Amino acid sequence: MGIAALMLLAGASVAGAAKLNGTVKVGNIFLDETGDRSTVQETFDIYDGFAVSQVLLDGSLQPQSRFVLDLRDINLDSRQGNFNYRLPGLFKVRAAYDQNRYVFDPGRGVTSERKNWQVGLQVTPMKSLVLSGDLNRITRTGDRLSFPPEPGTLLGTVSSLGTRYDNALLNSQFGAEYHRGRAGGAVSVQLSDYSDDLNGTADRKGQVWAARLYAPMPFYNRWNNLFRASYGTRKLTDGGVEYKMSSFQYTGILAPRESYQLRYAFEASRVKDNALDLQTDRIQNDLDATWFHKYGNLNAGFGYETNDDDITLTDYMSWHAGGSFRPDKRLNVRFEYNGRVKNDQEDLTLLKDIESASYRGRLEIRPNDRITLGGEYAKRRREMPDIQVVVSGITAGAFARYEQPKWGAASLDYTHAIDEYDDRLAPFNVVTAITTARVDLSRIKNLDLASGVTYLDIGRDLDIEKSIVFVEGGYKFAGRYHLDAKYNVYNYDDYILLDRYYTANVVRVNLGYDL
Amino acid sequence: MSREMALRRLPLILALFAGLAVLAGFSVAKPSAETGVHESQACLDCHDGMDATLVGTAHRVTGKGARVACTDCHAGPSAHWEDDPEKNPMPNPGKMTSTAEARVCTQCHENSHQQNMLEKNVHAMNNVACSACHSVHGSKHYSLLRKPQNELCESCHTRVAGQFARPYRHPIEEGVIQCTDCHMTLDRTTRPLSKDGTNVCLKCHGDLAGPFPYEHEATLDHSTEEGGCISCHDPHGSSLPRMLKQPYQPPHEQLCTQCHSIPPKHLSNRMHGTRWNGVACNECHTDIHGSYDNRWLLSTSLRAQGCMNGACHGR
């Protein structure tokens, strides 16, 4: 239905179009697979057979307007569509639709399907006033595996989510924004409505009313002030159980000179949760300063936060420091440090005190306009000493890119991640290595070629290997025609956790015609 | 004045302050260069064809309804066109620092997106200017982006791109969702209601949104227990099903034991012996996102088996 509506829009647009460009592509998908179909997400939405792969229309109804309609896989259950029409600076309308499925079982017999409709409208009756509205409806239907998964259950227990989906979530937002120069304000209301045909007790409605104001004062361009306030509720339709949420925020940005910036942010929020019978008050203060220089910048900041929920009282202190060094476009270095400490003043939370810290550095070098080399290193640690839990991780990566004008480009990325977790029960450690490489060639006239590989090796307490290889080519001929072909191989092997494997060969061939 | 009364009046005082600030702000706000439209034709006399890359966008400088002039962005001395252009060059925002360029763009685009950039200035601080993502002259992508959105983000955030190669992840590559569905949402006014970003998740995962009559505090981002979806899930990608950070099945049960110690009676007691030793927590505690039935988040199917009849597992 979503695509049908978009096609109607397309028909109306094309009929009135003053100018029209576009592309139509049709083709076939060949899918050959073996093993557990629930292992590789990339193939969940690949369907064997004839495909109307793309209808792209780009045109205008009058000289100053523009519309773009992009429909993909129209005849398949992975169809997507986008429509945009705009009179720049005056009017914008957007509609979108997509559907996709999730596969739960090895034989692809247990699947659920999500459908997503979006409509948005923005009107600018005068330069300083913007009115907008958005609607988004998401439905999910179909089957799912029971949770906990069969056949492992001893008791035959099933969660209240059951083994089927049939729910819908409608989100909408309406707003108005007025500004004059750099001062302005906005109001918005956001509504949500969730309904579950299989579990009526889960039906709920929510609303959030919000306002924001911003103003440069008292020194124009030197001191900006932002204020926000919001109030919202979310409640079960029949149960009377609800959250009431409110917040106030102030952010002040002071830039006495172009090279200095001082930022202060204050936030106070309250959530009344009558299921827990608790009212949580949170107050947060953040202060940070940045010094900008033509060769980079330095920054540092400090934050203090308290959370009071009638029973427990916790406070947090956080700090960060970092900077960058960019003497010219050939070199870019960045580094940062973040730390945070939670103090459970009454020792009543489950996690008690928490200490965490992270470091990160990134280096990018461009020895010439064609080559980019770089690397990144990040380290993090989070410790809960009272319950003896330590979570830590290191990520190191390197990348290289090469571009040769009129020939093409090549890139290589490698990431090595170590994630370690330890608690009173046992450790759980995973090492992940991810390699990605890609080559693009455009040397031959009317022919574009590309090939690439992504390889994952996940080890230690898990033992998983996954790879994706592709080769693709596009050839333009007879002026407006083009032939595209793409070959993909997906491989997945899980030797420990679930002992499953999967291999798929996918070929997609399309013949295109430019309007 | 008692402390309580002072606190009660605080919102009123803050609102008054905010109102005054905005009134003062309006009074000092400089109008953008609305009067400059007529100057664009003078520019095009020399820079012939430059307006072609702006046709069909809000930045068009010619034609009916044009609201922008070349000099709104390239604001320089009139001597550039009146006297010697070489000696009086016009500035190019794309070659300014990120903050200076943002100042040019915010003459018109002082919306919530700009405020996000100003407020959480990670991009600006790293000299990632507006023009690093948006191309005013000649882009055919939505919002004048230089590339399709996900590709654009991943071109700098290479580490995150690697995370999306993991087996269980959000469908970014398939185009089902985009980076900005979760990050840098255009209207941040509603996000303050979420401490850890959980409200962002609930835009799509409505079935897990709550409120539940019996909550699991770890799922609540207003909880003092460091709550929120990311306590258990890694939204960019995980090696474990359901994007879990830790496994929940024996022998690795760290998903639950990162917060809970296993009560000794679960391992051995006089009614069941050691029957439940080594059994995954969620065999019984199935409703881990919150329950409509009981405070222990137990499966309602246990009721039919009589487990809740006695004092042990009753409400």
Side-chain angles (χ1 to χ4, degrees):
Chain A
M1 197 174 77
I3 285 287
L6 287 174
M7 289 179 81
L8 274 176
L9 274 171
S13 305
V14 170
K19 186 182 151 197
L20 188 65
N21 296 312
T23 301
V24 177
K25 282 184 189 175
V26 292
N28 205 80
I29 300 170
F30 304 91
L31 171 65
D32 173 36
E33 56 187 343
T34 178
D36 188 331
R37 269 72 166 163
S38 68
T39 51
V40 174
Q41 268 185 247
E42 285 82 355
T43 62
F44 284 3
D45 270 313
I46 295 177
Y47 297 85
D48 201 23
F50 172 75
V52 181
S53 302
Q54 188 178 24
V55 175
L56 174 67
L57 301 175
D58 182 345
S60 60
L61 300 181
Q62 48 156 296
Q64 299 302 346
S65 72
R66 185 170 175 219
F67 71 83
V68 177
L69 177 81
D70 188 0
L71 304 175
R72 290 171 189 259
D73 292 345
I74 299 168
N75 64 321
L76 303 177
D77 285 339
S78 55
R79 60 185 67 93
Q80 296 182 346
N82 271 292
F83 176 77
N84 286 290
Y85 175 75
R86 64 186 188 208
L87 275 166
L90 296 172
F91 177 78
K92 254 191 248 185
V93 64
R94 176 172 180 266
Y97 173 81
D98 69 72
Q99 67 180 71
N100 57 88
R101 73 174 167 186
Y102 196 89
V103 178
F104 290 92
D105 71 320
R108 202 175 279 145
V110 181
T111 63
S112 74
E113 191 173 56
R114 265 206 170 99
K115 293 178 180 174
N116 189 359
W117 291 263
Q118 293 178 60
V119 182
L121 177 71
Q122 184 178 301
V123 182
T124 313
M126 56 181 109
K127 193 174 177 180
S128 53
L129 180 65
V130 180
L131 306 172
S132 61
D134 294 284
L135 280 175
N136 177 205
R137 185 169 191 267
I138 304 169
T139 63
R140 193 169 192 185
T141 53
D143 299 319
R144 53 175 284 156
L145 285 184
S146 64
F147 184 71
E150 299 285 359
T153 55
L154 293 172
L155 290 161
T157 50
V158 177
S159 87
S160 61
L161 295 171
T163 55
R164 288 178 58 211
Y165 288 108
D166 192 358
N167 58 52
L169 175 66
L170 178 67
N171 289 310
S172 54
Q173 179 161 307
F174 306 93
E177 181 164 337
Y178 177 78
H179 75 92
R180 177 170 173 260
R182 235 166 259 162
V187 289
S188 68
V189 58
Q190 191 180 59
L191 306 168
S192 67
D193 187 340
Y194 174 78
S195 60
D196 189 335
D197 284 354
L198 303 171
N199 179 13
T201 51
D203 291 358
R204 62 178 66 88
K205 288 183 192 301
Q207 54 177 316
V208 177
W209 294 83
R212 64 175 186 271
L213 301 166
Y214 46 96
M217 67 154 275
F219 307 107
Y220 192 79
N221 269 351
R222 298 286 178 227
W223 188 352
N224 276 291
N225 301 278
L226 284 75
F227 302 86
R228 292 193 185 92
S230 48
Y231 174 79
T233 61
R234 195 185 314 145
K235 65 187 293 186
L236 292 182
T237 309
D238 332 312
V241 175
E242 72 175 327
Y243 304 145
K244 284 182 181 166
M245 306 165 282
S246 53
S247 76
F248 174 82
Q249 278 188 319
Y250 166 73
T251 305
I253 298 124
L254 188 64
R257 297 182 63 182
E258 188 74 22
S259 52
Y260 298 98
Q261 190 186 82
L262 194 66
R263 187 184 73 102
Y264 168 71
F266 167 82
E267 182 181 339
S269 66
R270 169 173 288 179
V271 180
K272 286 177 90 167
D273 181 344
N274 72 354
L276 293 172
D277 198 21
L278 290 179
Q279 174 176 290
T280 308
D281 289 329
R282 175 171 169 258
I283 292 177
Q284 185 172 356
N285 290 274
D286 284 310
L287 183 67
D288 54 55
T290 307
W291 173 59
F292 297 96
H293 185 270
K294 63 177 178 177
Y295 291 150
N297 71 65
L298 289 173
N299 65 79
F302 176 77
Y304 181 72
E305 178 186 333
T306 59
N307 277 270
D308 183 352
D309 70 2
D310 298 337
I311 296 174
T312 61
L313 179 62
T314 57
D315 61 61
Y316 299 82
M317 276 192 287
S318 58
W319 47 90
H320 66 90
S324 64
F325 178 58
R326 291 182 298 270
D328 55 34
K329 66 175 186 178
R330 304 281 180 221
L331 180 66
N332 190 342
V333 183
R334 272 175 27 204
F335 48 92
E336 66 179 56
Y337 163 73
N338 292 282
R340 192 167 190 248
V341 170
K342 173 194 167 193
N343 177 23
D344 179 355
Q345 294 191 11
E346 297 172 42
D347 274 351
L348 287 172
T349 62
L350 272 178
L351 306 177
K352 305 279 191 305
D353 293 349
I354 301 173
E355 295 167 15
S356 56
S358 66
Y359 312 83
R360 192 170 158 218
R362 192 174 197 271
L363 168 71
E364 191 174 305
I365 302 168
R366 299 192 71 186
N368 57 47
D369 288 342
R370 295 176 183 176
I371 299 174
T372 307
L373 303 170
E376 188 169 347
Y377 179 82
K379 187 176 180 181
R380 62 187 162 78
R381 182 180 172 87
R382 187 162 178 260
E383 190 171 353
M384 290 164 256
D386 297 300
I387 61 168
Q388 296 169 29
V389 172
V390 179
V391 187
S392 60
I394 292 174
T395 306
F399 60 90
R401 321 234 180 284
Y402 177 75
E403 281 179 56
Q404 177 74 38
K406 296 181 182 174
W407 274 82
S411 66
L412 178 66
D413 289 79
Y414 176 75
T415 305
H416 188 84
I418 302 169
D419 295 296
E420 295 182 328
Y421 176 89
D422 204 352
D423 68 8
R424 271 188 272 216
L425 192 73
F428 179 72
N429 302 321
V430 176
V431 175
T432 309
I434 304 170
T435 309
T436 308
R438 183 183 170 105
V439 177
D440 289 87
L441 283 174
S442 51
R443 179 71 182 117
I444 303 167
K445 192 183 173 188
N446 293 332
L447 180 65
D448 290 317
L449 296 170
S451 182
V453 61
T454 301
Y455 175 73
L456 273 91
D457 186 4
I458 303 165
R460 282 211 200 164
D461 286 331
L462 298 176
D463 191 356
I464 296 171
E465 280 180 58
K466 180 182 173 182
S467 64
I468 302 170
V469 180
F470 79 90
V471 180
E472 68 178 331
Y475 179 64
K476 286 181 188 167
F477 61 98
R480 292 175 172 235
Y481 291 90
H482 40 103
L483 184 66
D484 304 324
K486 184 169 186 177
Y487 172 57
N488 260 307
V489 187
Y490 300 93
N491 258 302
Y492 182 94
D493 291 290
D494 178 349
Y495 300 105
I496 293 181
L497 188 72
L498 297 167
D499 189 21
R500 53 191 185 166
Y501 69 92
Y502 176 76
T503 299
N505 292 280
V506 182
V507 178
R508 185 161 195 156
V509 182
N510 279 310
L511 179 65
Y513 177 75
D514 291 335
L515 301 172
Chain B
M1 191 190 303
S2 69
R3 185 169 177 269
E4 195 176 317
M5 193 176 283
L7 280 174
R8 211 178 297 156
R9 289 185 179 174
L10 185 64
L12 185 66
I13 293 165
L14 291 169
L16 271 173
F17 181 54
L20 283 173
V22 170
L23 282 175
F26 274 111
S27 68
V28 298
K30 290 181 184 174
S32 56
E34 288 172 349
T35 53
V37 175
H38 67 281
E39 290 161 7
S40 295
Q41 194 52 56
C43 304
L44 296 170
D45 288 345
C46 296
H47 302 278
D48 187 27
M50 285 305 285
D51 59 330
T53 56
L54 303 170
V55 170
T57 76
H59 297 111
R60 68 183 187 277
V61 292
T62 50
K64 193 184 167 191
R67 288 175 169 178
V68 178
C70 303
T71 49
D72 283 350
C73 303
H74 303 279
S78 59
H80 178 80
W81 64 87
E82 288 170 351
D83 190 7
D84 185 346
E86 297 291 329
K87 286 183 183 167
N88 302 284
M90 298 294 268
N92 181 351
K95 293 183 177 171
M96 296 174 179
T97 63
S98 58
T99 44
E101 190 191 54
R103 200 161 286 149
V104 174
C105 301
T106 52
Q107 290 179 109
C108 298
H109 300 280
E110 185 57 276
N111 55 25
S112 53
H113 173 50
Q114 287 291 343
Q115 287 166 33
N116 292 347
M117 302 294 280
L118 190 68
E119 190 180 5
K120 300 281 181 194
N121 55 353
V122 180
H123 283 111
M125 226 153 51
N126 288 294
N127 211 28
V128 179
C130 307
S131 58
C133 300
H134 303 277
S135 176
V136 173
H137 287 277
S139 171
K140 288 201 167 183
H141 297 292
Y142 192 69
S143 295
L144 301 182
L145 292 175
R146 287 185 177 274
K147 295 179 188 175
Q149 194 200 99
N150 297 339
E151 199 182 314
L152 183 70
C153 301
E154 288 182 355
S155 61
C156 289
H157 298 275
T158 48
R159 191 163 58 108
V160 177
Q163 289 170 335
F164 277 104
R166 290 179 169 166
Y168 303 93
R169 57 183 174 74
H170 274 106
I172 284 273
E173 305 299 329
E174 292 79 356
V176 175
I177 64 168
Q178 297 190 314
C179 301
T180 52
D181 284 334
C182 305
H183 297 282
M184 217 163 65
T185 50
L186 293 183
D187 185 359
R188 260 184 58 89
T189 45
T190 54
R191 283 191 67 192
L193 295 180
S194 180
K195 176 186 166 192
D196 293 321
T198 291
N199 279 3
V200 172
C201 310
L202 304 181
K203 276 198 317 185
C204 296
H205 300 280
D207 49 340
L208 310 173
F212 293 98
Y214 302 95
E215 302 275 16
H216 183 190
E217 292 194 23
T219 67
L220 301 174
D221 67 350
H222 57 267
S223 164
T224 53
E225 293 285 3
E226 291 272 281
C229 305
I230 55 173
S231 301
C232 298
H233 300 279
D234 195 338
H236 284 168
S238 165
S239 308
L240 296 165
R242 297 170 199 272
M243 291 186 275
L244 292 174
K245 283 184 167 176
Q246 318 286 342
Y248 61 85
Q249 286 161 314
H252 302 291
E253 294 169 305
Q254 285 88 353
L255 188 72
C256 306
T257 60
Q258 62 178 325
C259 299
H260 301 275
S261 55
I262 300 173
K265 283 186 179 175
H266 279 55
L267 305 176
S268 173
N269 65 56
R270 65 188 173 86
M271 293 297 289
H272 305 294
T274 57
R275 189 179 174 195
W276 306 130
N277 197 349
V279 174
C281 308
N282 73 318
E283 292 272 332
C284 300
H285 302 278
T286 53
D287 293 336
I288 38 115
H289 294 103
S291 170
Y292 297 102
D293 185 71
N294 64 80
R295 61 187 287 226
W296 303 113
L297 316 181
L298 292 166
S299 169
T300 50
S301 51
L302 291 173
R303 192 177 297 281
Q305 298 182 43
C307 301
M308 295 178 184
N309 294 342
C312 301
H313 309 303
R315 286 189 180 189

